[in-house]
Amino acid sequence: MARDLRRSRASTCLVIPVAQGLLDECNRQKENCEYTAVSFTIWLRHLRRIKTVCLTTPVILGAIATWKLAAHSAPVLAAVCTLGATVLPVAYRASKTDAKIAQCTKLAGEMTNLRDRFRPAATISAHKEPTVFEAEARPYLARLERARRSMLTPPEWCFIKARAKIKAGHYHHDYDEKPNS
């Protein structure tokens, strides 16, 4: 009988720190996913602007180059516009921006989804039995590991902008704002 008591007491003492550690990890990963998702969203907006410029500028340059007034009065300008209209699309394709946009879109969505999975894991599942909590949280950690395998990272300035937006409250829910009554 004494052995059973020691075993159950020992297992209780070990489970609580493990559950607390997992709770802390879920909260950390929720925060990491939030920063990463917002960073990717900012980078994605920038890449989409680059795509728009690279797709519309050759049309405008081509129109200027074929404009008879520009061709006769400023042949150098027409030649520069022709060069820009032909080189820009090739440079854009070579930069593989479309593939980067697709990757960023996928990772921004996955990180947003994981943020939204880690939050209930930390707030709801943490109140369940430690083994149930662990069983519910582990798949999210595995998904996060798979998402990070691509090693695609936005530039540092995206993280700085994301941090500023998050700290300013742009991504907080109105529901979470408690009235002071």
Side-chain angles (χ1 to χ4, degrees), residues 49-100:
R49 283 187 204 110
I50 289 172
K51 179 179 181 175
T52 300
V53 167
C54 288
L55 293 178
T56 57
T57 302
V59 174
I60 295 167
L61 292 176
I64 293 171
T66 58
W67 190 25
K68 289 191 187 256
L69 181 63
H72 291 299
S73 62
V76 173
L77 174 67
V80 169
C81 289
T82 303
L83 179 66
T86 55
V87 170
L88 196 57
V90 174
Y92 174 77
R93 276 193 300 277
S95 71
K96 296 181 169 71
T97 303
D98 286 333
K100 290 176 187 163

Side-chain angles (χ1 to χ4, degrees), residues 6-180:
R6 279 192 298 254
R7 233 186 261 143
S8 68
R9 201 168 72 216
S11 66
T12 304
C13 291
L14 292 175
V15 170
I16 292 172
V18 170
Q20 183 61 46
L22 187 57
L23 173 62
D24 292 343
E25 189 61 22
C26 284
N27 282 318
R28 273 189 220 98
Q29 295 309 330
K30 177 193 125 352
E31 184 179 359
N32 287 341
C33 289
E34 181 173 33
Y35 280 100
T36 304
V38 176
S39 295
F40 272 120
T41 302
I42 290 168
W43 180 232
L44 192 56
R45 287 180 193 144
H46 183 72
L47 288 175
R48 287 180 176 153
R49 283 187 204 110
I50 289 172
K51 179 179 181 175
T52 300
V53 167
C54 288
L55 293 178
T56 57
T57 302
V59 174
I60 295 167
L61 292 176
I64 293 171
T66 58
W67 190 25
K68 289 191 187 256
L69 181 63
H72 291 299
S73 62
V76 173
L77 174 67
V80 169
C81 289
T82 303
L83 179 66
T86 55
V87 170
L88 196 57
V90 174
Y92 174 77
R93 276 193 300 277
S95 71
K96 296 181 169 71
T97 303
D98 286 333
K100 290 176 187 163
I101 289 172
Q103 283 180 309
C104 283
T105 302
K106 181 180 175 186
L107 283 172
E110 181 67 3
M111 289 298 176
T112 301
N113 187 282
L114 283 168
R115 176 204 63 199
D116 294 343
R117 296 299 94 224
F118 279 118
R119 183 179 45 234
T123 57
I124 299 168
S125 299
H127 299 291
K128 298 178 180 177
E129 289 294 320
T131 54
V132 175
F133 174 36
E134 184 174 359
E136 289 181 10
R138 290 289 174 199
Y140 306 137
L141 292 167
R143 277 178 58 190
L144 182 58
E145 188 175 322
R146 281 192 303 275
R148 288 178 171 165
R149 284 187 187 147
S150 70
M151 288 302 297
L152 183 66
T153 54
E156 184 70 20
W157 63 265
C158 294
F159 174 78
I160 293 167
K161 283 185 87 170
R163 185 168 191 247
K165 288 178 82 63
I166 291 167
K167 295 287 184 190
H170 290 247
Y171 293 92
H172 294 283
H173 300 285
D174 290 341
Y175 179 81
D176 293 334
E177 297 296 321
K178 306 279 190 227
N180 295 334

